[in-house]
């Protein structure tokens, strides 16, 4: 497959699996590429640049990308360069340990029967495995990951895929995690979107305890009653918000349990007074 971005052109071997050795690109024009076209024999590509009065002709050399893919290796080898620390780094070691631990959990930690160890884990374990290694996908992202796994071979077999190998797990992590991670500046920007509109300086912006909790429940403003307001994002339930915040705040008090039916309304059983009355961006980041 040939492709073009704003300034670059390149070759990509299919299928798209995240293998960095199956893609090669180079600068095509100094400014934006306006359009590309491929000859009928698939051997020549033409590109038009913006404001450079140039139409360039490129020879498509598929041999080069095939050679690079072979040099990258097979299986999981090409993906080591995308994992922090590489093949023998701490992250790869952690991923292996957690993957095998997930197999133990599937059969039960305290079982007395003989262990049945395979090279796969069930699909249901993948979201928690992702979180355990530092990637916290949203519910929508989890849905996309699960669909990618379950329907991977559906066209050929007509059956859902229910198990994931370690190699597939590494590929999923590399392809779905944020490409550039989450920086402090990004967190400040996110925090500022929820503060008052008249807060000019993000360093001075803050949220009250009530505003912070409302955001967790999917409510941007408390001016509208809970029953009448349309929820936004992926709101937490009252039990989830209370449990997570108690754990993160390092409180040892017993966590209150509640009937799931009462999660449809705000419950007086949940007391969030253990949170600070005002949350600013510094406290939030810490």
């Amino acid at each position: 497959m040939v492709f073009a971005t704003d300034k670059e052109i390149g070759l990509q071997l299919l299928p798209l699996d995240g293998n960095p050795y199956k893609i090669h690109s180079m600068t095509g024009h100094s400014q934006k590429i306006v359009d590309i076209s491929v000859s009928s024999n698939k051997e020549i590509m033409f590109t038009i640049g913006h404001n450079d009065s140039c139409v360039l002709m490129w020879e498509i050399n598929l041999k080069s990308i095939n050679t690079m893919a072979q040099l990258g290796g097979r299986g999981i080898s090409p993906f080591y360069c995308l994992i922090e620390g590489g093949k023998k780094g701490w992250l790869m070691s952690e991923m292996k340990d957690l993957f095998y631990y997930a197999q133990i959990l599937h059969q039960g930690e305290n079982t007395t029967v003989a262990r049945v160890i395979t090279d796969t884990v069930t699909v249901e374990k993948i979201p928690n495995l992702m979180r355990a290694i530092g990637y916290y996908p949203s519910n929508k992202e989890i849905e996309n990951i699960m669909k990618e796994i379950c329907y991977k071979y559906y066209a050929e077999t007509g059956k859902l895929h229910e198990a994931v190998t370690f190699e597939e797990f590494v590929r999923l992590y590399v392809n779905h995690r944020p490409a550039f991670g989450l920086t402090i500046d990004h967190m400040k920007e996110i925090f500022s979107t929820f503060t008052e509109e008249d807060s000019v300086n993000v360093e001075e912006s803050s949220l009250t305890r009530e505003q912070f909790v409302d955001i967790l429940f999917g409510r941007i403003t408390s001016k509208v009653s809970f029953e009448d307001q349309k929820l936004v994002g992926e709101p937490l339930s009252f039990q989830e918000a209370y449990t997570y915040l108690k754990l993160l705040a390092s409180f040892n008090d017993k966590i209150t349990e509640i009937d799931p039916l009462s999660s449809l309304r705000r419950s007086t059983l949940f007391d969030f007074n253990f949170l600070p009355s005002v949350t600013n961006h510094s406290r939030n980041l810490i």
Side-chain angles (χ1 to χ4, degrees), residues 4-6 29 31-36 47-52:
T5 61
D6 281 347
H29 290 260
Q31 298 188 40
K32 184 177 181 180
I33 297 175
V34 177
D35 199 3
I36 66 171
T47 61
I48 302 175
H50 177 69
N51 284 341
D52 58 9

Side-chain angles (χ1 to χ4, degrees), residues 69-86:
Q70 292 176 1
L71 293 175
R74 297 182 178 181
I76 200 175
S77 297
F79 297 88
Y80 286 135
C81 63
L82 302 177
I83 302 295
E84 184 178 349

Side-chain angles (χ1 to χ4, degrees), residues 181-283:
L182 188 63
T183 64
I184 292 181
D185 289 338
H186 188 203
M187 294 181 69
K188 288 181 179 179
E189 180 182 353
I190 295 172
F191 184 83
S192 65
T193 62
F194 295 109
T195 57
E196 297 295 334
E197 295 181 358
D198 57 357
S199 297
V200 179
N201 188 356
V202 68
E203 304 290 335
E204 300 176 356
S205 59
S206 62
L207 292 170
T208 65
R209 182 195 298 120
E210 290 73 19
Q211 289 173 327
F212 178 69
V213 173
D214 280 345
I215 291 171
L216 298 181
F217 293 152
R219 292 176 289 173
I220 302 302
T221 176
S222 58
K223 295 180 181 180
V224 183
S225 66
F226 179 68
E227 291 76 10
D228 297 334
Q229 189 176 40
K230 182 179 179 180
L231 301 182
V232 296
E234 297 179 352
L236 298 177
S237 68
F238 292 109
Q239 179 70 61
E240 288 173 335
Y242 179 82
T243 302
Y244 298 157
L245 291 174
K246 272 285 188 178
L247 292 174
L248 291 173
S250 300
F251 279 79
N252 296 321
D253 298 342
K254 183 179 179 180
I255 297 176
T256 305
E257 296 293 339
I258 188 171
D259 187 337
L261 294 177
S262 63
S263 62
L264 298 176
R265 62 183 183 279
R266 190 158 193 162
S267 174
T268 57
L269 293 178
F270 291 95
D271 184 5
F272 292 95
N273 288 332
F274 59 85
L275 295 175
S277 58
V278 176
T279 302
N280 57 34
H281 83 280
S282 298
R283 185 189 297 272

Side-chain angles (χ1 to χ4, degrees), residues 10-40:
L11 294 173
Q12 168 72 59
L13 287 182
L14 299 177
L16 301 173
D17 59 1
N19 186 337
Y21 292 92
K22 289 185 177 181
I23 183 172
H24 178 69
S25 64
M26 60 182 295
T27 300
H29 290 260
S30 59
Q31 298 188 40
K32 184 177 181 180
I33 297 175
V34 177
D35 199 3
I36 66 171
S37 181
V38 179
S39 63
S40 59

Side-chain angles (χ1 to χ4, degrees), residues 28 33 45 52 55 60 102 117 133 156-157 168 174 180 188 207 209 215 226 258-259:
I33 297 175
M45 180 174 69
D52 58 9
V55 176
I60 300 175
I117 302 299
I133 57 178
E156 294 83 4
T157 65
E168 291 172 330
V174 168
F180 303 105
K188 288 181 179 179
L207 292 170
R209 182 195 298 120
I215 291 171
F226 179 68
I258 188 171
D259 187 337

